[in-house]
Amino acid sequence: MSAPLQPRLDRAMSSVTIPPPKCMLRPLEVPFRYLFGPGPSNVPPRVLAAGGRGIIGHLHPEMYEIMNDIKKGIQYAFQTQNNMTIAMSGSGHAAMECAVFNTVELGESVLVAVNGIWGERVAEIAERMGANVHIMVKAPGGVFSNGEIEKALAKHKPVLFFLTHGESSAGLAHPVDGIGDLCRKHNTLFLVDTVASLGASPIFMDQQNIDILYTGSQKALNAPPGTAPISFNERACQKMFNRKTKPVSYLFDMAHLSNYWGNDGQPGLEESWRHHKEVAGYLWKGLEDMGLKLFIQNKDLRLPSVTTIAIPEGYNWREMLQYIMKHHNMEMTGGLGPSTGMVSVRGMLKF
């Protein structure tokens, strides 16, 4: 006969030797900060309130309605009619890995444009999963001409070409027009990262023949981090679902994700683009009037959602940023990857 329940519970409780930490016994306190770094951005109260709604099951019919609404919103923001459009759980890196893992197999050629930290990340991801990686390299803020891209496509014959549209480590909005056409000419999938630019700088997935597009939730989309919208067109799906081998990641396998999501031109977006460009223009003028120099000199190539300021000669960038945070509660960063120490990165309040 088993021992009485209460004595067993008493023994179980008395066996706990590690007490609860003091931090668990007091309410969570989060200081207010003006988030002027490249991301995340300050989230509007209505978005925070939506996150506080009640929990429902992931298989409830109401959840599928919400997912369908999310899908339509992503299609609108991406300017695409692609059916294979979902919101992944994870950061922009999750979508980055999902795109590479699902469309590239061991030994296949991948071409990556590297002019900042995000190209470096994709090159490493592709290399880790066994792809034959080729890189085109420019200094932070450098722009690849369509001629340079076509030459590299013809030389390396990649199955995938990656380009960052919004390179937040330099504050660059890279031109995209014509590149999708070149990729189709050379039978290459065109993958574009818009984590720092979607909603702030124009992008047209279908019109610009972008095969795979992804972004993150925490920048100009005005949402908390943790969601990564991604879309694949029919060309990408043909490659993705006719693989010889399974993707290296189970979590990011689009065969499973597409099943779960049921995937077996109004004003508003233009206003967001216009508003970001207008507000960025005020910021750029104010900084230049103060005698500061912007890292991206060509205004047409500046990323509206991330402004990069050249560090003035003779100043310690770390001390500057620490002073700004300490005295003004403003977060800024000192560049990312290859641009570290070269620029001070300031994001925008999102609207």
Side-chain angles (χ1 to χ4, degrees), residues 106-320:
L106 183 68
E108 289 186 325
S109 177
V110 172
L111 179 63
V112 180
V114 178
N115 59 347
I117 191 172
W118 306 118
E120 292 179 350
R121 295 278 172 87
V122 169
E124 182 173 348
I125 288 169
E127 186 177 59
R128 287 189 179 200
M129 57 84 59
N132 184 14
V133 180
H134 308 278
I135 60 174
M136 306 170 60
V137 181
K138 284 187 181 289
V143 176
F144 299 93
S145 70
N146 286 15
E148 290 173 320
I149 292 171
E150 181 165 26
K151 184 178 179 180
L153 290 172
K155 178 180 179 181
H156 300 297
K157 298 177 174 54
V159 299
L160 184 74
F161 171 59
F162 171 85
L163 180 74
T164 308
H165 177 237
E167 179 48 77
S168 56
S169 67
L172 173 73
H174 198 291
V176 174
D177 286 343
I179 301 175
D181 297 330
L182 295 176
C183 287
R184 293 195 175 193
K185 176 182 175 182
H186 291 274
N187 196 29
T188 299
L189 295 178
F190 185 25
L191 168 60
V192 178
D193 178 315
T194 64
V195 171
S197 59
L198 189 82
S201 189
I203 196 79
F204 304 91
M205 184 173 187
D206 289 355
Q207 291 181 27
Q208 293 173 314
N209 286 332
I210 299 170
D211 298 298
I212 311 164
L213 187 72
Y214 67 84
T215 191
S217 57
Q218 74 275 22
K219 312 281 178 141
L221 292 185
N222 268 151
T227 304
I230 189 170
S231 182
F232 301 80
N233 68 8
E234 187 58 34
R235 290 182 75 235
C237 288
Q238 286 292 327
K239 177 72 167 71
M240 186 162 57
F241 296 128
N242 288 282
R243 301 171 56 94
K244 299 183 181 69
T245 59
K246 293 181 179 181
V248 296
S249 171
Y250 181 90
L251 179 63
F252 297 151
D253 188 341
M254 281 300 297
H256 302 310
L257 292 173
S258 62
N259 178 265
Y260 177 60
W261 277 82
N263 290 339
D264 289 348
Q266 295 292 323
L269 187 60
E270 294 94 333
E271 173 62 17
S272 178
W273 293 339
R274 185 202 63 76
H275 196 63
H276 276 83
K277 186 173 182 178
E278 179 182 344
V279 174
Y282 287 124
L283 173 62
W284 298 338
K285 184 178 186 301
L287 292 171
E288 290 173 333
D289 288 347
M290 293 170 60
L292 296 171
K293 294 182 179 179
L294 299 184
F295 187 68
I296 301 297
Q297 297 181 10
N298 187 335
K299 291 183 178 181
D300 294 332
L301 296 176
R302 290 175 187 164
L303 185 59
S305 52
V306 179
T307 295
T308 44
I309 308 164
I311 300 296
E313 187 176 350
Y315 284 84
N316 183 302
W317 64 274
R318 284 193 176 89
E319 292 179 355
M320 291 172 56

Side-chain angles (χ1 to χ4, degrees), residues 12 54 56 148 192 236 273 324 326 342-343:
I56 60 176
E148 290 173 320
V192 178
W273 293 339
I324 292 171
K326 180 178 180 180
M342 299 171 62
V343 298

Side-chain angles (χ1 to χ4, degrees), residues 26-104:
R26 62 175 183 265
L28 175 66
E29 296 182 3
V30 180
F32 178 79
R33 292 283 188 269
Y34 294 105
L35 299 180
F36 290 156
S41 59
N42 291 102
V43 178
R46 67 181 183 86
V47 178
L48 293 175
R53 297 290 184 90
I55 300 296
I56 60 176
H58 67 291
L59 297 179
H60 290 185
E62 296 86 356
M63 176 58 75
Y64 288 122
E65 292 180 15
I66 293 172
M67 291 167 67
N68 285 332
D69 290 344
I70 291 171
K71 175 179 175 179
K72 292 174 183 176
I74 297 170
Q75 289 171 322
Y76 167 62
F78 283 12
Q79 286 295 282
T80 183
Q81 296 181 349
N82 293 338
N83 180 56
M84 195 60 64
T85 300
I86 70 172
M88 300 185 60
S89 299
S91 67
H93 280 89
M96 183 186 287
E97 291 201 338
C98 177
V100 176
F101 289 168
N102 280 277
T103 58
V104 180

